[in-house]
């Protein structure tokens, strides 16, 4: 899809498709999986929820970030400790290089959460729909899946649900989700997922 081909109607459809926001019910503790990034918002979300008793297990993911060289999973771990989250609450992997591997290398921790009777909450960019499909594909018994999202910043500009078409880095990433997720569902490498009753099934 070329930039010129996107009409306001298409923008609305694309935004609705990629927007994965589906927070857990008020007061329900869940395990939180933080998808790798070099931005700090996932840590702030998870730490704040831990201190409210809503994140008894926090799973950090991410290997070496290609933009600034940090090891994302380890950095998340350190930043959570800095925010008063006990080490015993945190699990992390530090080798993944993409969303699929974020989930794949965190599978032992996701299994730990499910065995403990905790639902899973993905903490990721608001348009990161592939995260939901990767979780459904790699953890088929995950059940209803929640998502708490945040707005990333690229070149100093927040990529919001309203502004993404005018921000080149945001536009490229949103359109990638819109185009790639349905293709991968159709070919079978992603499992389909739909939002119903406040959770992804």
């Amino acid at each position: 899809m070329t930039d010129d081909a996107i009409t306001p109607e298409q923008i609305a459809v694309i935004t609705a498709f990629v927007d994965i926001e589906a927070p857990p019910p008020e007061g329900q503790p869940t395990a939180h999986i933080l998808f790798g990034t070099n931005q700090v918002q996932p840590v702030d979300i998870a730490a704040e929820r831990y201190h409210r008793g809503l994140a008894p297990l926090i799973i950090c993911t991410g290997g070496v970030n290609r933009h600034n060289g940090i090891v994302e999973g380890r950095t998340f771990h350190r930043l959570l400790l800095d925010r008063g989250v006990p080490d015993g609450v945190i699990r992390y992997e530090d080798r993944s290089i993409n969303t699929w591997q974020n989930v794949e290398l965190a599978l032992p921790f996701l299994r730990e959460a499910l065995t403990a009777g905790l639902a899973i909450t993905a903490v990721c960019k608001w348009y990161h729909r592939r995260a939901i499909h990767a979780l459904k594909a790699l953890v088929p018994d995950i059940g209803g899946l929640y998502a708490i999202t945040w707005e990333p910043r690229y070149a100093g500009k927040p990529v919001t649900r309203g502004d993404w078409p005018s921000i080149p880095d945001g536009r490229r990433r949103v359109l990638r989700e819109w185009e790639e997720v349905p293709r991968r569902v159709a070919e079978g490498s992603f499992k389909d997922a739909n939002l119903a009753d406040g959770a992804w099934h």
Side-chain angles (χ1 to χ4, degrees):
M1 178 181 289
T2 65
D3 297 340
D4 294 339
I6 307 177
T7 66
E9 292 76 18
Q10 287 171 319
I11 288 170
V13 169
I14 293 167
T15 303
F17 176 81
V18 301
D19 189 352
I20 61 169
E21 180 76 12
E26 186 65 34
Q28 178 180 331
T30 62
H32 288 47
I33 177 169
L34 280 53
F35 281 80
T37 179
N38 62 5
Q39 302 190 38
V40 77
Q41 292 97 316
V43 171
D44 291 334
I45 290 167
E48 186 270 337
R49 291 181 64 79
Y50 166 78
H51 289 297
R52 289 201 287 134
L54 300 175
L57 183 66
I58 300 172
I59 302 164
C60 304
T61 70
V64 176
N65 183 278
R66 67 182 182 274
H67 300 295
N68 65 359
I70 68 163
V71 181
E72 296 165 343
R74 277 188 236 157
T75 300
F76 281 170
H77 177 232
R78 176 179 55 78
L79 293 174
L80 285 166
L81 294 174
D82 290 346
R83 286 157 175 75
V85 178
D87 194 42
V89 167
I90 307 166
R91 309 288 184 271
Y92 73 93
E93 67 79 19
D94 57 7
R95 296 179 293 124
S96 58
I97 60 172
N98 56 39
T99 302
W100 185 266
Q101 288 188 1
N102 288 161
V103 176
E104 189 172 45
L105 295 176
L107 281 174
F109 311 132
L110 292 162
R111 291 267 165 239
E112 176 186 354
L114 294 177
T115 299
L118 294 169
I120 306 297
T121 295
V123 180
C124 48
K125 302 176 186 83
W126 66 268
Y127 55 80
H128 197 184
R129 182 147 177 175
R130 72 184 62 204
I132 299 298
H133 292 269
L135 282 162
K136 297 298 285 187
L138 286 165
V139 194
D141 57 342
I142 199 169
L145 169 66
Y146 301 107
I148 295 174
T149 64
W150 51 277
E151 296 172 342
R153 296 181 72 89
Y154 296 106
K157 296 180 180 177
V159 177
T160 69
R161 291 161 175 84
D163 293 344
W164 67 262
S166 63
I167 300 169
D169 279 337
R171 183 172 61 238
R172 176 173 57 82
R173 288 170 167 84
V174 168
L175 290 178
R176 182 180 70 171
E177 299 298 311
W178 163 252
E179 293 166 350
E180 184 170 329
V181 167
R183 176 181 62 78
R184 291 189 62 177
V185 169
E187 73 184 19
S189 61
F190 275 172
K191 186 174 179 183
D192 200 10
N194 295 285
L195 190 60
D197 299 321
W200 288 95
H201 296 276

